[in-house]
Amino acid sequence: MSQSANNKVNLTHLIEQKREQMFKTAATHGMNHQLTLKCSQELDKLILEYQKLSI
């Protein structure tokens, strides 16, 4: 497996974990809570990194 493919697999796992964390945080604290918004921003960054690898 190439380095790029490895990075994409790792990012996929990180994205899944961050998405789950965000959903749990939203369920506990609400959609507009600071922790939920922070998770959302971190998830956005991970997705952007993944997209950059796909170009």
Side-chain angles (χ1 to χ4, degrees):
M1 189 178 289
S2 72
Q3 177 85 15
S4 178
N6 246 352
N7 288 343
K8 286 176 80 171
V9 168
N10 289 336
L11 276 171
T12 300
H13 290 295
L14 290 173
I15 288 168
E16 290 170 4
Q17 290 173 345
K18 186 57 70 175
R19 184 178 289 129
E20 179 141 346
Q21 179 186 4
M22 185 184 70
F23 286 144
K24 288 179 180 178
T25 303
T28 304
H29 299 288
M31 293 292 290
N32 294 321
H33 192 276
Q34 183 177 1
L35 291 174
T36 306
L37 297 175
K38 184 178 180 200
C39 283
S40 177
Q41 291 171 345
E42 291 170 355
L43 178 59
D44 288 346
K45 287 179 185 178
L46 290 170
I47 291 170
L48 183 60
E49 282 183 53
Y50 182 89
Q51 289 175 334
K52 285 180 181 178
L53 288 176
S54 299
I55 295 175

